[in-house]
């Protein structure tokens, strides 16, 4: 019954490789979110500026 606590899905990885993998995954997620935010802001600013120029 003590084997039930050693579920590899639930267990946190304490090895340096596991930590590095999670750190890299977090970095990739942050880069993706940042890239999407920059693209969205650029598109928004372009639309607003276009509207201001066309409206004048």
């Amino acid at each position: 019954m003590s084997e039930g606590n050693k579920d590899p899905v639930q267990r946190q990885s304490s090895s340096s490789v596991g930590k590095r993998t999670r750190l890299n995954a977090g970095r990739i997620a942050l880069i993706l979110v940042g890239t999407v935010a920059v693209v969205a802001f650029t598109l928004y600013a372009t639309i607003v500026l276009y509207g201001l120029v066309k409206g004048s």
Side-chain angles (χ1 to χ4, degrees), residues 22-48:
R22 281 182 306 196
L23 188 62
N24 286 341
R27 281 191 190 134
I28 290 171
L30 281 175
I31 290 170
L32 283 174
V33 169
T35 303
V36 169
V38 167
V39 169
F41 178 76
T42 304
L43 184 62
Y44 171 75
T46 303
I47 291 170
V48 168

Side-chain angles (χ1 to χ4, degrees), residues 3 15 21 30:
E3 295 278 342
S15 69
T21 301
L30 281 175

